[in-house]
Amino acid sequence: IDIGANIGLTSCQNGKAFKSVFCFEPNPLISSILKANAEITLDMSKVSIFDFGLGSADESLELMIPKNNWSGAFVVSPDNHYSDDILASKDRFSKIEPDNYLIKKVEIRSAKAVLSKIFKQFSDADITRGVIKIDIEGMEEVVLKEIAESLPRNIHPIIIFENWNPNLPIQKPVNLNTYT
């Protein structure tokens, strides 16, 4: 599961090693590149690409796309736990200035609802191991919480995520089956 798939570098490089690949990418400017890269490199019968992001609820929000780093796009939401300073500095800006960004309306869906369905598919197919990669520029805490609340006890993923916040409140490995 690739949450914040961007153009698909992670999924396209590693997807052949998995029985299924699920990519989530709300950025409308790069989702077609993701689809093209997946078509070129993967068996599309095993791939599902969703052109929406994941969060705590179904909603339409703004996506701020840095003009100098399209992979650094972030959702404007109270659920985004990065400060404006972190969001600006990760893209080498001194502050958030609208002229530095393209702003697009995007759809966000409840991670809990969407992932519960995927996890059920895995359970039904007796797929109990896999990888969840998360690169969503400040929405990691929310999505990790939603994963913890929807993950069945028989599924044991490895979760890898990008983090720019030095104060992220995860300090040791967490067993998501007991995380609250």
Side-chain angles (χ1 to χ4, degrees):
I1 299 174
D2 191 348
I3 304 170
N6 198 265
I7 63 170
L9 289 178
T10 300
S11 289
C12 292
Q13 288 176 345
N14 301 294
K16 290 179 185 175
F18 296 91
K19 293 178 182 176
S20 352
V21 177
F22 294 84
C23 298
F24 296 88
E25 181 51 58
N27 185 339
L29 300 176
I30 60 172
S31 60
S32 59
I33 299 168
L34 167 62
K35 291 171 187 171
N37 286 340
E39 287 274 352
I40 292 166
T41 60
L42 299 173
D43 175 354
M44 290 305 289
S45 70
K46 299 177 182 181
V47 177
S48 299
I49 297 176
F50 303 95
D51 58 356
F52 56 83
L54 298 177
S56 63
D58 292 350
E59 54 192 337
S60 294
L61 297 171
E62 287 185 343
L63 184 72
M64 303 281 288
I65 306 164
K67 291 179 181 177
N68 67 344
N69 177 18
W70 282 17
S71 67
F74 62 90
V75 174
V76 177
S77 168
D79 285 342
N80 191 317
H81 289 107
Y82 284 177
S83 68
D84 283 356
D85 287 342
I86 290 173
L87 290 167
S89 68
K90 72 177 182 57
D91 294 314
R92 299 188 183 120
F93 298 132
S94 59
K95 61 183 178 178
I96 300 288
E97 293 190 42
D99 287 347
N100 291 330
Y101 298 89
L102 301 170
I103 302 170
K104 298 289 182 182
K105 232 3 166 190
V106 297
E107 295 302 310
I108 303 297
R109 302 272 168 76
S110 163
K112 188 176 190 178
V114 171
L115 294 174
S116 290
K117 290 177 185 175
I118 293 171
F119 293 149
K120 180 167 180 357
Q121 288 177 18
F122 290 168
S123 288
D124 292 348
D126 199 31
I127 298 171
T128 60
R129 306 243 181 244
V131 174
I132 301 173
K133 175 249 169 190
I134 307 169
D135 184 356
I136 49 179
E137 311 301 325
M139 299 287 283
E140 294 82 7
E141 284 183 62
V142 169
V143 170
L144 286 168
K145 179 181 176 286
E146 300 291 310
I147 290 170
E149 292 177 1
S150 60
L151 190 67
R153 293 197 179 282
N154 68 321
I155 296 180
H156 309 282
I158 294 171
I159 299 177
I160 302 164
F161 64 95
E162 179 184 75
N163 174 50
W164 288 89
N165 181 0
N167 300 313
L168 184 72
I170 295 176
Q171 299 175 5
K172 60 182 181 178
V174 174
N175 178 345
L176 288 177
N177 290 322
T178 59
Y179 182 75
T180 57

